[in-house]
Amino acid sequence: MTKPAVLAIDIGGSKYIVGLVSEKGEIYAKKRYTCFEKTGNELVTSIIAAAQELLEKNENYTPKVIGVTIPGLADPKRGYWIEASFSGIRDIPLGSILSRQFGIPAYADNDGQACALAERLFGVCQNVSDFLYLTVSNGVGGGIFLKDRIYYGATGCAGEMGHVTVVEHGRRCKCGKRGCLEMYAAGGGIVKNYIELGGNRLIHGKITDARTIAALAEEGDLIALETFRLEGYYLGKAIAGACNLLNPAMIVIGGGVSLSFPLFEKTLWEYIRRSIYLRANEDLKIKASPFGNDGGLMGATAVALCGLNKMYGWGEL
């Protein structure tokens, strides 16, 4: 007898992951792929092929539902990928495509909102009804929980923390604005910060990336340490404003950059304490997500389960 599972699909800026996950968040199988596809249709075709291969190699598991995390703007009611500003992908009815392909229900949502659902179902917010989730990776996204329901806003796009302005007249973002948090705190922004501070573009003959800079910081490299001090500053600047507005009990930071949380935690707290109304937010907690690089996969699982069971206000716009 086969085990029931969620077919979870995590789409990121430079990769996608397909996985089989239990309703309790136990990952049975997964495989990661680097994104080389140039168009949305090419990406969807590749994801379907990857999912089919995963299912063929794991015949002991039967998917009952599909969940997808989408970078950028999503319409969860229709399972629609509206837009990803960094890649130019837009207007893909992803949920209906996958549902027809695999013959089971498919649900899709923005990655930040999906990961917030995952923290409520499986993570550090299982007993927290008001919190803010930030995913910091190739981009910066977010999800908001208010009174134990995911908050979508008027058009379903609440939580876009990556496009909060942190530097006036700063770097141009693909969304059309300048100075967005995403351009300073996401992976590419971390690299630019490092180089502007005097760091090398090439390290050991390879193009510098945020993970390498984090490793240098852990070894005590001064430029790398200053780079992650700036990370805490930029994230703190955006988070402080959100705290004053929403008064959450907890901030959760996920995505690949969250693995370097100890490198910027001190500066993050310093700036937030300097910028929030302390008396109103004196019990605020900030934690790194426990999921590490599996956050998106857990988010996709949460979207599938919440879509099926209509939990936590999922999809309500």
Side-chain angles (χ1 to χ4, degrees), residues 166-185:
V166 293
V167 177
E168 288 295 327
H169 313 297
R171 297 168 189 160
R172 182 172 292 281
C173 179
K174 289 185 178 179
C175 77
K177 290 170 63 257
R178 285 187 177 275
C180 291
L181 176 65
E182 187 164 290
M183 301 308 297
Y184 290 86

Side-chain angles (χ1 to χ4, degrees), residues 62-81:
T62 301
K64 301 297 184 182
V65 60
I66 300 169
V68 190
T69 59
I70 294 171
L73 305 183
D75 179 347
K77 274 195 170 181
R78 294 186 297 156
Y80 215 82
W81 191 354

Side-chain angles (χ1 to χ4, degrees), residues 5-162:
V6 173
L7 175 56
I9 301 170
D10 167 29
I11 304 173
S14 59
K15 55 78 183 167
Y16 56 90
I17 301 173
V18 293
L20 290 165
V21 186
S22 78
E23 290 189 1
K24 294 183 178 179
E26 177 187 359
I27 298 174
Y28 295 138
K30 65 176 179 177
K31 188 168 181 180
R32 178 188 177 103
Y33 296 83
T34 301
C35 264
F36 296 109
E37 294 78 6
K38 295 181 180 179
T39 69
N41 289 333
E42 289 174 348
L43 180 60
V44 171
T45 299
S46 296
I47 287 171
I48 288 172
Q52 288 173 330
E53 181 183 354
L54 184 76
L55 294 175
E56 289 168 4
K57 291 183 176 180
N58 294 275
E59 294 180 347
N60 292 334
Y61 303 102
T62 301
K64 301 297 184 182
V65 60
I66 300 169
V68 190
T69 59
I70 294 171
L73 305 183
D75 179 347
K77 274 195 170 181
R78 294 186 297 156
Y80 215 82
W81 191 354
I82 298 173
E83 177 182 86
S85 62
F86 62 86
S87 67
I89 292 175
R90 55 177 53 89
D91 299 326
I92 298 177
L94 193 54
S96 59
I97 291 172
L98 293 173
S99 184
R100 286 196 304 269
Q101 180 69 37
F102 293 97
I104 55 178
Y107 302 94
D109 206 343
N110 163 270
D111 52 3
Q113 291 163 337
C115 288
L117 288 167
E119 294 297 340
R120 185 67 182 86
L121 280 176
F122 313 118
V124 296
C125 294
Q126 292 182 53
N127 297 309
V128 181
S129 60
D130 293 85
F131 65 92
L132 174 66
Y133 174 89
L134 250 69
T135 179
V136 189
S137 186
N138 288 305
V140 177
I144 302 167
F145 249 76
L146 297 176
K147 294 185 177 179
D148 215 24
R149 299 177 77 80
I150 192 80
Y151 178 72
Y152 281 101
T155 62
C157 301
E160 285 293 329
M161 291 285 289

